[in-house]
Structures are given as C-alpha cells and as structure tokens.
Amino acid sequence: LTAALGSLAGALLGMLYTRSLIWGLSNYWQGAVANSAIQYHAETLTIVEGAVACFVCAVGSIGIAIRRQSARPARELLSGNISLSADPAETSGKTAGKLAILSWTGVIVAAGIIAVAVMTGAHNAAPAFFAAGGLLLLSGLGLIRLVLIWLDRIGSSFTMFTLSIRNAGRRRARSLTAAGLIACGCFMVFAVSSMQEDVGAGSDKRSSGTGGFAVYGESTLPFQYNLSSLEDRKKLRLDGETLLKDVGIVSIKVHDGDDASCLNLNRAQTPRLLGVDPDDFAVRKAFTEESSGGKLWDLLNKQLPDGVVPGLTGDLNTAMWGLQKKVDPEKGGILTYRDERGEEFKVKLVGSLPMSLSVFQGAIVIP
C-alpha cells in the first residue's frame, strides 16, 4: 500500500516537475535548447509505465530490507536494534585496515594516471579522465566508509549533536548511499563540463579544427566570384588591396540543411552540405593529421556507383549521435538530398575529419 501510494504521488509530481522544467527552459533558459520551441506532452501509457516501474522498484527494495532484517536474531528485533548497517565485524581493525589500504591505493593509482596524462600531453584525455575519476570516486567512498566507522565509536553523551553524528555512523549503508549519489552527480557534472573543447586552441596548425585558416567568413547571399583568382579580384576592385596580398582564400559552396550539432534536439535527416575543392585542401594538408599528408581528402575524389557523392562528416560525433550513421569508405551511411531542381541525389559518408571539434561541425563536406 505504501509503495502504491508513493508511486501514484511520484507520477503526479513528476508531471508537475516536467511542466515546470519545460516552462523554465522555454522562458528563462532558451540557450540550453538552442532557442528551440519545446512544449509539454504526456501520454497516459508513459505515465502508467513509469508508475508501475516505480512500484516494482519500491516493492523490491522493501523485500530486500525485510529479507535482511528477518535474518537477524529475534532478540535484536525485539530490542529495536534494527539497523541496516553492515555486520559489526566490519568495524574490526583488520577489516578497516584492508579498506584503508584499498582506498589509498586507488588514490595513488589515480594520481599516477593524471601525472602520466599531463606529462605525455595525451591528445584524447577522456580515457585518463574517466579512469582516474572512477578510481577517485570509489576510493573516496571507501574513505568515507572509514570515517563513518570512526563516527560510530565517538562520544558517549546524549546531546543532539553526538546522537546525530553517531546515527550517521550506525546507519552506514544509508549514509554511504546518500554520499554516493551526491558524489556521482557531481562527477557527471564535472565530466560534462570538462569535455568542452576550444576550437581556437592550436588554431595556427593545419591539423587543428580551424585547418590553419585565420578567418572563416560566411556571406548572406551567394558570392559568384572566386577571391583566390586575380581576375575576379580585379572585377571587385580588390586587386589593389594590400591586406589581400599573399593571402590564400578558399571558396566553399553551401547547401542548407538541418543542424546536426548537439544543439539540435531532433535527429537531423539532411545536414548542411559544404562543397570544397579536395585537391586544394589536400595540398594545404588542412583538417588532417600531420602524418597523413592530406590523404583524407582523396576519399572525396573516389568515384562511387549510381552517381552517389562521397562526403566527410565535419566531426565523428555528428555521424555517431546526430545522424546515427556509419562512417566507412565501403559501408558508410547514405543520406538523400534534393537539389535546386527538385531532383534527388545521394551522399555516402566515406570518412570523417579526425578532430573532435572543427569549424565544419554538424555539416557534411562534399567535393
């Protein structure tokens, strides 16, 4: 009965919470959803499924607690000492010593992983971050358990402060659960925040997300001239500009489409297409690893059957999460577009730019 009432109340309060959250995102925090218009929508079946799942979890938790309590001697149950803490043998010096050794070993190993990652300057720090962070999280919880064991021993007075401290140590499982939930939440927030990358870092390098270009500009209307051509510069009366002397300019054609970046809450069907000259980028070795020599752009010169156009995703995450398509020269995903005449053409994802963040993020680059 308690689980059923709690599940029903949770379903009703959950709807209220969701309405409040969406209202806040729509009115006061639109930047979090890329200024998209979002509305509350609830289905009866979804609410019922959530309530039933909550009821099952609650009954399961009650069953586990009852099973643990029924295993205790009747004397303890009659005396009212029904703590859900671990066996008192855990407080022995031998067990606590093993826990301390394991916890501090985890801290030392995590510090070693961090030191190696910093000294080697690892390009992809995510594995080291989660390995060290996971060890610190588990080691921290182990040290907290040691503190709780110590708190259960201190003080003999019956003041409110002493009783509250000893209660935290007596119900170690409950206290450790609360600490673990907070620690895991903080860890996820820090993990997401630390994964933000700066596209301007190392922007002078050809292998960076800027391709080594100093300026990236986009015109409102189509530009019919090639600024890398001296004749076209003369037509625009730019041939005498000293600022453009010895400046290389690469023109990119744009076919508008869906935003495939992480700011789009919907699944993109036809991302924006960017038409480039693969040979020009290959000579510059732009947006490729220094050791590859610009060979990545050779994939765009590949002749595919049935008039399919080869394409490179601006970043691997776009294909994996935004498009949910495979990137491969042979088994790459196919996207269907319509040109200005209304005729269909297909784009095959034959590769991806190697960096995780680039100025082409959320777009498909085609020849």
Side-chain angles (χ1 to χ4, degrees), residues 143-276:
L143 295 175
I144 290 176
R145 194 171 191 88
L146 290 174
V147 173
L148 293 175
I149 294 175
W150 176 73
L151 291 178
D152 191 27
R153 301 173 180 174
I154 66 171
S156 57
S157 62
F158 289 94
T159 63
M160 185 62 68
F161 177 77
T162 304
L163 290 176
S164 61
I165 292 296
R166 295 198 65 184
N167 184 62
R170 185 174 69 93
R171 299 281 185 103
R172 287 188 290 278
R174 181 184 63 184
S175 301
L176 196 64
T177 299
L181 289 174
I182 297 174
C184 291
C186 293
F187 178 73
M188 292 306 299
V189 171
F190 282 118
V192 173
S193 301
S194 63
M195 290 298 112
Q196 295 180 357
E197 296 190 28
D198 182 12
V199 71
S203 58
D204 58 327
K205 299 179 180 179
R206 288 296 185 186
S207 59
S208 68
T210 65
F213 292 95
V215 178
Y216 180 90
E218 188 171 345
S219 62
T220 304
L221 299 175
F223 205 71
Q224 304 298 333
Y225 299 95
N226 184 8
L227 290 178
S228 61
S229 170
L230 183 59
E231 293 183 1
D232 285 352
R233 289 188 187 183
K234 289 181 179 180
K235 295 177 182 179
L236 297 171
R237 299 180 180 180
L238 295 175
D239 53 316
E241 289 289 338
T242 57
L243 292 177
L244 295 180
K245 186 179 180 180
D246 299 328
V247 172
I249 301 177
V250 176
S251 298
I252 299 176
K253 295 180 180 180
V254 179
H255 179 87
D256 265 333
D258 302 331
D259 180 14
S261 70
C262 58
L263 295 177
N264 187 2
L265 299 179
N266 303 311
R267 179 181 174 184
Q269 302 294 326
T270 54
R272 188 166 71 154
L273 295 178
L274 303 177
V276 303

Side-chain angles (χ1 to χ4, degrees), residues 46-340:
T46 303
I47 299 173
V48 172
E49 289 176 350
V52 171
C54 180
F55 175 77
V56 172
C57 291
V59 171
S61 301
I62 294 173
I64 293 174
I66 292 177
R67 181 180 179 183
R68 292 187 61 180
Q69 295 307 311
S70 61
R72 292 182 177 273
R75 178 181 58 79
E76 287 188 15
L77 298 176
L78 292 174
S79 65
N81 183 16
I82 54 174
S83 171
L84 295 179
S85 60
D87 190 357
E90 181 192 38
T91 60
S92 64
K94 185 177 180 180
T95 304
K98 291 181 179 179
L99 183 60
I101 293 174
L102 290 175
S103 300
W104 285 113
T105 301
V107 172
I108 295 173
V109 173
I113 295 175
I114 295 173
V116 171
V118 172
M119 289 187 295
T120 58
H123 179 69
N124 184 12
F129 173 86
F130 283 103
L135 282 174
L136 288 176
L137 180 64
L138 294 175
S139 301
L141 292 177
L143 295 175
I144 290 176
R145 194 171 191 88
L146 290 174
V147 173
L148 293 175
I149 294 175
W150 176 73
L151 291 178
D152 191 27
R153 301 173 180 174
I154 66 171
S156 57
S157 62
F158 289 94
T159 63
M160 185 62 68
F161 177 77
T162 304
L163 290 176
S164 61
I165 292 296
R166 295 198 65 184
N167 184 62
R170 185 174 69 93
R171 299 281 185 103
R172 287 188 290 278
R174 181 184 63 184
S175 301
L176 196 64
T177 299
L181 289 174
I182 297 174
C184 291
C186 293
F187 178 73
M188 292 306 299
V189 171
F190 282 118
V192 173
S193 301
S194 63
M195 290 298 112
Q196 295 180 357
E197 296 190 28
D198 182 12
V199 71
S203 58
D204 58 327
K205 299 179 180 179
R206 288 296 185 186
S207 59
S208 68
T210 65
F213 292 95
V215 178
Y216 180 90
E218 188 171 345
S219 62
T220 304
L221 299 175
F223 205 71
Q224 304 298 333
Y225 299 95
N226 184 8
L227 290 178
S228 61
S229 170
L230 183 59
E231 293 183 1
D232 285 352
R233 289 188 187 183
K234 289 181 179 180
K235 295 177 182 179
L236 297 171
R237 299 180 180 180
L238 295 175
D239 53 316
E241 289 289 338
T242 57
L243 292 177
L244 295 180
K245 186 179 180 180
D246 299 328
V247 172
I249 301 177
V250 176
S251 298
I252 299 176
K253 295 180 180 180
V254 179
H255 179 87
D256 265 333
D258 302 331
D259 180 14
S261 70
C262 58
L263 295 177
N264 187 2
L265 299 179
N266 303 311
R267 179 181 174 184
Q269 302 294 326
T270 54
R272 188 166 71 154
L273 295 178
L274 303 177
V276 303
D277 183 357
D279 296 331
D280 191 355
F281 277 178
V283 171
R284 298 171 185 269
K285 300 179 182 179
F287 301 99
T288 58
E289 298 288 349
E290 297 179 359
S291 58
S292 67
K295 294 182 179 179
L296 175 67
W297 296 106
D298 294 339
L299 293 174
L300 295 186
N301 292 323
K302 187 177 181 181
Q303 297 295 326
L304 300 179
D306 301 326
V308 178
V309 180
L312 301 176
T313 59
D315 61 294
L316 191 59
N317 291 330
T318 294
M320 184 181 300
W321 305 111
L323 302 176
Q324 297 183 0
K325 296 286 187 180
K326 188 175 182 179
V327 175
D328 186 77
E330 301 297 332
K331 301 179 181 180
I334 302 293
L335 300 175
T336 302
Y337 288 84
R338 287 189 180 275
D339 59 19
E340 63 276 5

